[in-house]
Amino acid sequence: MLELRNICFQVPDEKSRNAKEIGILKDVSFTLEDNKFVVITGPNGGGKSTLAKVIAGIEKPTSGQILWDGQDITDMSITDRAKLGISYAFQQPVRFKGVTVFDLIRLAAGKEISIAGACEYLSKVGLCAKDYIKREVNGSLSGGEIKRIEIATIMARKTRVSVFDEPEAGIDLWSFQNLIQVFEEMHDQLHGSILIISHQERILNIADEILLIADGELKKKGTKDEILPQLLGTADAAGTCSKVKVRE
């Protein structure tokens, strides 16, 4: 179980002459239960991606605590959190010159894996395995291709918590539908928790729980039946939900 307690994240206000700071996250608290599919949504610039990076250990909160099964991991590095069982997929994945797709999936799996085994992961994300397995993870790959390869590596890791920052970015329509099936399969078969940053209605619609982050604060939390109608404009959540643009 992953628990966030009163998480704040501040950055210096470059426009201020008085050393003021801007609050990107403001007293955010929630619990990610085991084997849950949670989607974080909200307006652009509201703090969603920062929250994902704080969970992964890329950013350190200004104050607050992050607990993993009761253990305080607030000061733990991204490497140590990965060893605990937290995976993170970047909104813009990193490229690795000289590293093949097969190398990357094998490293993610953390054990010896056959080419056929690696190809299964690629096929699940809509890539023709024989065309990609020996390619380098470099600039020759499009944004959509490298995003799908990164998702394949997260599947290979099989961690307890998998965090995805806008996984639909750069994905074509056919692959996006395939992506939905990938997330459903991960949730059903791996029995790990999935946390996704997304505006996409089809991703929101398969969530167990939806969190609405706006202005750095957790505005709403509930099941998709409770939250999704508000996001779609059928109700007004304290004047905030109606301002969130949900993409179909």
Side-chain angles (χ1 to χ4, degrees):
M1 182 175 72
L2 184 70
E3 182 180 0
L4 276 68
R5 293 182 180 175
N6 309 110
I7 294 296
C8 296
F9 183 79
Q10 295 178 314
V11 295
D13 185 354
E14 297 179 353
K15 297 180 180 179
S16 172
R17 297 181 179 180
N18 301 315
K20 291 184 178 180
E21 292 191 328
I22 300 173
I24 306 300
L25 296 174
K26 307 167 188 175
D27 199 31
V28 176
S29 299
F30 71 89
T31 299
L32 179 61
E33 302 285 352
D34 292 337
N35 196 27
K36 290 293 184 180
F37 190 127
V38 176
V39 177
I40 297 177
T41 194
N44 291 330
K48 304 183 301 300
S49 291
T50 300
L51 182 59
K53 290 175 181 177
V54 165
I55 291 171
I58 298 170
E59 299 284 5
K60 182 179 178 180
T62 307
S63 62
Q65 283 185 304
I66 303 173
L67 304 178
W68 176 270
D69 292 337
Q71 175 189 358
D72 191 336
I73 64 169
T74 311
D75 296 323
M76 192 173 285
S77 69
I78 184 173
T79 301
D80 289 334
R81 292 190 200 191
K83 291 177 180 177
L84 277 181
I86 299 176
S87 293
Y88 178 80
F90 289 85
Q91 187 174 353
Q92 296 181 338
V94 179
R95 299 173 188 270
F96 302 94
K97 186 177 180 180
V99 177
T100 68
V101 172
F102 176 57
D103 292 334
L104 199 60
I105 294 177
R106 182 173 56 185
L107 287 169
K111 61 182 181 181
E112 286 300 319
I113 184 173
S114 66
I115 289 180
C119 286
E120 286 186 17
Y121 293 115
L122 291 175
S123 297
K124 288 179 180 179
V125 295
L127 294 177
C128 181
K130 66 181 180 62
D131 294 335
Y132 288 90
I133 196 67
K134 294 183 179 180
R135 288 184 63 176
E136 286 191 18
V137 188
N138 57 23
S140 67
L141 295 167
S142 71
E145 288 171 331
I146 201 166
K147 177 63 73 80
R148 284 183 275 175
I149 289 167
E150 184 182 49
I151 293 169
T153 65
I154 300 296
M155 294 175 66
R157 286 205 68 210
K158 299 180 180 179
T159 48
R160 279 182 57 190
V161 173
S162 299
V163 182
F164 297 89
D165 190 357
E166 296 198 19
E168 68 273 11
I171 301 291
D172 60 81
L173 185 60
W174 182 90
S175 297
F176 177 68
Q177 184 55 43
N178 201 51
L179 191 62
I180 299 294
Q181 296 174 1
V182 166
F183 291 140
E184 290 178 322
E185 181 178 325
M186 286 181 66
H187 187 41
D188 291 340
Q189 296 184 6
L190 299 184
H191 303 295
S193 298
I194 299 174
L195 182 68
I196 298 181
I197 309 297
S198 181
H199 296 283
Q200 289 287 347
E201 182 182 343
R202 280 175 286 182
I203 292 180
L204 291 164
N205 203 42
I206 60 174
D208 295 320
E209 187 174 53
I210 296 174
L211 309 182
L212 173 64
I213 300 288
D215 299 321
E217 299 177 353
L218 177 58
K219 299 292 187 178
K220 285 288 178 179
K221 179 178 71 171
T223 66
K224 65 179 180 182
D225 292 334
E226 294 170 334
I227 303 298
L228 194 53
Q230 300 176 20
L231 297 180
L232 296 175
T234 56
D236 189 297
T240 302
C241 290
S242 59
K243 299 178 183 178
V244 178
K245 186 176 182 180
V246 178
R247 300 172 189 159
E248 296 181 355

